Amino acid sequence: MADLREVHARLGQSLWLDNLSRTLIHDGILARYIAEDGVSGVTSNPSIFQKAIHESPYYQEDLACPADSAERLYEQMVKVDLQMACDLLQPTHAASQGDDGWVSWEESPRLAMDEAATVVEAERLRGIVQRNNLLIKVPATPAGIAALRTLIGRGISVNVTLMFGLQHVREVFAAYQEGLAAWVDGGGDPKRVKAVASLFLSRVDTLVDQQLEKIGNEAALRLRGKAAVAVAKKAYAIYQETFHGQGFSRLKAAGGRPQYLLWASTSTKDPAYSDLLYVEPLMGPETINTLPDATLGKLRDHGHLVAQLGEGLDAAEKTLADLAAEGIDLNGQVAPQLQEEGLAAFSAAFEAMLDEVEKRRA
């Protein structure tokens, strides 16, 4: 059994839990993860809350509360979950001087293409929870990236989600720096601001593997299961160039934080691959890996806690070149398609959750 507290203490990576429900809080599960595994953050999304409200017995009383709509009742319920999770992680947040100990709440997928509405909603949701360690999740759509710039410029901390390619990484990093510069130049305290960039992994391999199998030649088939890790390693190189280079030096000197990469969608979908494919090769400093409960358990059970993220960049770049040679367009086709599919999945889960809330409160 691995002592997962070593991941941060020795390797410099934060482990966050990709799950949140009242059951996790009331039954003491999240508190144990924090104390025993060093879990130092929480991510959530519409799918997670839909599952929580459907399965947990702890929402029954809240479902009887008055509300103007199913969406407002949902907000009343999950506000409590978010506040309790933020409070559990507040000691981590304080000890890390705001670098860790964050809880993420995703905006309604209905707003993904509306920059102005995304900004207004982020401010509203932050006001509902009233915790200084809350991250508002916005998607890396063009509207979401523009909203990121505005929100950081107003001192609002953000988790940018649904990133699938290197172009997303570059655009998000640029928008964050522009927003942070506006905040600092306007007299804002950069230490109050945190942003992470969530790069989704397993879905990349799922789609790319399908395309490689259609191509079917030996060279293509050898590339199966390699795209996502290669993208992540290259993204980390871009991170290092961006936030440890001259371009960020002024903001860094003022106290600005780099925008850490967060590895998301880290449960392996193909049983032929290692169940820690998106965990072990991507351990390294100044990063976050958000894990579902099952993947966290597998890492604890048989994970090898070795920093590998900074290794193999040449091999990763060769993999990306080989994929391009086989006609796999990661930035122009794969990433946009996966983002569109991700938004559709979150939208479906969000609407299903609201339907369930409506039926159960009637």
Side-chain angles (χ1 to χ4, degrees):
M1 301 287 286
D3 183 350
L4 299 188
R5 292 170 296 183
E6 289 292 305
V7 175
H8 186 267
R10 186 163 51 82
L11 307 181
Q13 182 176 76
S14 297
L15 296 181
W16 290 7
L17 181 69
D18 192 26
N19 193 14
L20 182 58
S21 73
R22 206 162 293 181
T23 297
L24 284 173
I25 296 168
H26 274 281
D27 293 357
I29 299 169
L30 179 57
R32 288 200 301 273
Y33 285 156
I34 294 169
E36 298 174 8
D37 295 318
V39 165
S40 58
V42 169
T43 53
S44 65
N45 60 46
S47 298
I48 286 171
F49 279 128
Q50 192 274 335
K51 185 174 185 290
I53 292 169
H54 178 74
E55 295 181 354
S56 175
Y58 294 113
Y59 297 99
Q60 294 305 314
E61 186 175 339
D62 284 4
L63 283 163
C65 292
D68 294 338
S69 65
E71 185 168 359
R72 292 297 175 259
L73 180 55
Y74 149 74
E75 289 176 357
Q76 291 176 24
M77 290 190 294
V78 302
K79 174 190 75 172
V80 177
D81 299 0
L82 290 157
Q83 287 174 331
M84 290 190 292
C86 284
D87 291 345
L88 282 170
L89 286 159
Q90 184 58 39
T92 302
H93 187 259
S96 65
Q97 298 182 318
D99 200 46
D100 215 338
W102 294 86
V103 178
S104 295
W105 188 11
E106 186 145 356
E107 289 196 10
S108 166
R110 296 170 178 172
L111 307 179
M113 303 302 177
D114 189 329
E115 175 190 348
T118 295
V119 172
V120 171
E121 184 74 348
E123 294 177 325
R124 188 181 72 85
L125 295 180
R126 188 176 69 157
I128 289 173
V129 176
Q130 295 186 332
R131 294 295 187 273
N132 65 351
N133 54 335
L134 179 75
L135 290 173
I136 302 299
K137 292 178 76 174
V138 301
T141 59
I145 292 172
L148 163 68
R149 185 183 301 109
T150 300
L151 290 169
I152 296 298
R154 296 182 183 181
I156 297 174
S157 297
V158 177
N159 176 348
V160 185
T161 187
L162 291 177
M163 295 168 48
F164 293 94
L166 298 176
Q167 189 60 32
H168 287 157
V169 171
R170 293 186 177 95
E171 291 173 358
V172 165
F173 283 171
Y176 169 67
Q177 292 177 88
E178 291 166 5
L180 187 60
W183 173 247
V184 170
D185 292 344
D189 180 2
K191 294 180 181 178
R192 282 183 47 194
V193 181
K194 174 75 174 181
V196 300
S198 295
L199 184 63
F200 284 55
L201 300 174
S202 65
R203 301 182 194 186
V204 172
D205 278 339
T206 298
L207 178 56
V208 169
D209 282 3
Q210 292 171 356
Q211 296 178 349
L212 292 170
E213 287 165 4
K214 285 181 181 179
I215 296 168
N217 61 51
E218 185 178 347
L221 296 178
R222 281 199 302 266
L223 294 169
R224 289 177 296 182
K226 296 182 178 180
V229 169
V231 169
K233 285 182 178 284
K234 181 61 177 178
Y236 186 61
I238 295 170
Y239 165 84
Q240 291 176 309
E241 293 167 2
T242 301
F243 293 105
H244 291 287
Q246 188 62 34
F248 192 66
S249 59
R250 180 179 75 89
L251 293 172
K252 184 177 182 179
R257 306 177 194 274
Q259 185 178 23
Y260 285 8
L261 285 162
L262 181 152
W263 314 129
S265 184
T266 54
S267 59
T268 305
K269 304 297 187 291
D270 191 326
Y273 301 153
S274 164
D275 57 7
L276 296 173
L277 175 60
Y278 308 111
V279 184
E280 290 178 332
L282 301 179
M283 288 184 177
E286 298 183 11
T287 57
I288 303 161
N289 200 319
T290 186
L291 308 173
D293 299 68
T295 307
L296 184 71
K298 291 169 184 175
L299 182 62
R300 186 192 309 116
D301 179 70
H302 53 266
H304 294 91
L305 310 186
V306 178
Q308 302 181 49
L309 181 56
E311 301 174 357
L313 178 59
D314 289 345
E317 291 178 335
K318 183 178 187 308
T319 294
L320 297 176
D322 290 345
L323 287 165
E326 294 297 331
I328 305 298
D329 185 358
L330 290 170
N331 285 313
Q333 183 269 322
V334 171
Q337 179 179 333
L338 288 173
Q339 188 178 84
E340 183 177 345
E341 292 174 355
L343 283 170
F346 282 173
S347 295
F350 187 75
E351 299 303 329
M353 176 194 57
L354 295 183
D355 287 344
E356 179 159 354
V357 169
E358 185 64 45
K359 291 174 185 176
R360 292 173 63 179
R361 80 185 186 117

